[in-house]
Amino acid sequence: MRRRAPFHRPALARTAPLLSALAATALLLTACGTERAGAGNTGADADAAEPPSATQVDDPGKDGVRITRLSLPSASPSLSPTPTRSYSVSADSLGLATDSGVVADYEVTNNGTETLTYSVVFTFMSDDGGAVTSQTSTVRDVGPGKTVRGTVRAGELPPGAPRVTRAKVLEVTKVPASEAPAEPGTCPASGIRVSADAGDAAMGLRVVGLRLDNCGTRDYTVEGYPLLKLLDNERKPVDGIKILDGSSEITTGASPDNQPRPITLKPGESATAGLVWRNTTTSGTPVNVPYVQVRAKAGADPVTVTPNLDLGTTGKLGVRPWEKAER
């Protein structure tokens, strides 16, 4: 008769300590995995925690504004990188623009002593550093020493545009919050809303339109020309520029100025005026005026707009009178 091999219980006894050791190791690894890098951790663990489409941006920024993160979509045929920025678009390839899906997170820090409203131009770029598109964001009522965070989308890009992979703060303007143009769709306590358009330029001639809306409940009368104060980057008065009534000394090619006269705006009605200048540069130092403080008339609340007047060395700025706008 074949004898059975003896059954050794010590082998089972040795298995229990091994299972206990494995369980303890698993528990230790699980506990380590729940630890998150702090907000200030910029090591490899912190980078690994970011989603693949989010890129930390080392952006020095400008005037207290910087981009903190750029979120990119996964590559798609419509957003695929191109070897160079030189590309052609045929009639067959034209189509509706599509949202790029690119989003930049930013923060605005007011290091000054008064509450400010910021207007920020963000530029979205391709791999080679070429500008693909720009967007402007308004950040209102940032108090002294405060930081406000927000996001801005690159928006729609035409078919064939280079893929956006980078972004930067291109331009920052900031005005006292009490003098900032009112937000569209809102009405200041004065019942009068003053704003400036993006302007027009042709053959060295520049024109920026001013608009006065009576958004209040009572009639409002203006006569003559808007009252202006030209301000530099520090919002200090700019000297040496002659502000002219009318534009005839600047150009005779544009439409002639109407004679100033009283204009009464009923609620819902508007008036327009204009700033006209040339950017001619001869001898001397060119003058740039980033800010213009506008009063609709004497005694009106000031509103500071940012037309960025590149006056060259002309030393002159023409102002057209208020005229009632057509509905």
Side-chain angles (χ1 to χ4, degrees), residues 10-20:
L12 180 60
R14 286 195 299 269
T15 304
L18 178 60
L19 291 174
S20 299

Side-chain angles (χ1 to χ4, degrees), residues 221-242:
T221 300
V222 290
E223 180 178 2
Y225 304 88
L227 305 179
L228 309 180
K229 182 182 290 186
L230 309 185
L231 306 174
D232 63 14
N233 282 315
E234 304 300 322
R235 299 194 305 280
K236 304 296 184 184
V238 176
D239 298 324
I241 303 300
K242 187 177 182 181

Side-chain angles (χ1 to χ4, degrees), residues 7-319:
F7 181 75
H8 297 288
R9 291 185 179 275
L12 180 60
R14 286 195 299 269
T15 304
L18 178 60
L19 291 174
S20 299
L22 290 174
T25 302
L27 180 61
L28 179 62
L29 290 174
T30 303
C32 291
T34 61
E35 183 178 353
R36 294 181 181 272
N41 189 334
T42 57
D45 291 342
D47 291 341
E50 292 293 337
S53 62
T55 303
Q56 293 292 343
V57 178
D58 183 15
D59 174 34
K62 178 180 290 188
D63 293 338
V65 183
R66 71 184 187 97
I67 296 172
T68 57
R69 186 166 64 174
L70 184 66
S71 299
L72 305 173
S74 58
S76 64
S78 62
L79 295 172
S80 58
T82 55
T84 66
R85 295 195 70 251
S86 299
Y87 58 89
S88 60
V89 179
S90 65
D92 293 338
S93 67
L94 294 177
L96 294 176
T98 57
D99 193 298
S100 65
V102 177
V103 180
D105 297 344
Y106 64 86
E107 63 181 25
V108 178
T109 300
N110 181 358
N111 295 313
T113 59
E114 61 182 328
T115 301
L116 299 172
T117 288
Y118 291 73
S119 180
V120 186
V121 180
F122 297 93
T123 294
F124 294 87
M125 301 171 291
S126 58
D127 270 333
D128 63 5
V132 179
T133 187
S134 294
Q135 298 291 344
T136 301
S137 291
T138 300
V139 184
R140 295 182 178 273
D141 302 331
V142 183
K146 302 296 184 181
T147 295
V148 174
R149 295 174 177 84
T151 60
V152 58
R153 300 185 67 88
E156 295 183 346
L157 303 180
R163 187 183 181 210
V164 172
T165 59
R166 302 164 59 188
K168 71 175 183 180
V169 178
L170 180 65
E171 180 181 302
V172 178
T173 54
K174 47 192 177 183
V175 302
S178 60
E179 297 183 11
E183 191 172 3
T186 66
C187 189
S190 65
I192 297 300
R193 186 171 52 231
V194 175
S195 59
D197 63 22
D200 188 21
M203 300 296 290
L205 180 66
R206 309 284 202 257
V207 179
V208 165
L210 299 178
R211 186 176 183 89
L212 172 65
D213 298 313
N214 183 356
C215 55
T217 58
R218 295 182 295 180
D219 291 355
Y220 190 82
T221 300
V222 290
E223 180 178 2
Y225 304 88
L227 305 179
L228 309 180
K229 182 182 290 186
L230 309 185
L231 306 174
D232 63 14
N233 282 315
E234 304 300 322
R235 299 194 305 280
K236 304 296 184 184
V238 176
D239 298 324
I241 303 300
K242 187 177 182 181
I243 299 178
L244 308 171
D245 288 343
S247 63
S248 59
E249 289 189 39
I250 306 297
T251 179
T252 57
S255 58
D257 299 331
N258 292 326
Q259 290 300 313
R261 58 187 180 84
I263 296 175
T264 298
L265 302 176
K266 295 185 179 299
E269 293 185 329
S270 303
T272 59
L275 311 180
V276 184
W277 74 98
R278 291 191 180 277
N279 69 335
T280 306
T281 298
T282 54
S283 59
T285 302
V287 175
N288 293 308
V289 178
Y291 301 97
V292 178
Q293 188 186 78
V294 181
R295 294 180 188 269
K297 62 181 180 180
D301 293 337
V303 175
T304 299
V305 297
T306 56
N308 290 309
L309 310 179
D310 55 340
L311 299 176
T313 56
T314 61
K316 295 186 293 186
L317 173 67
V319 184

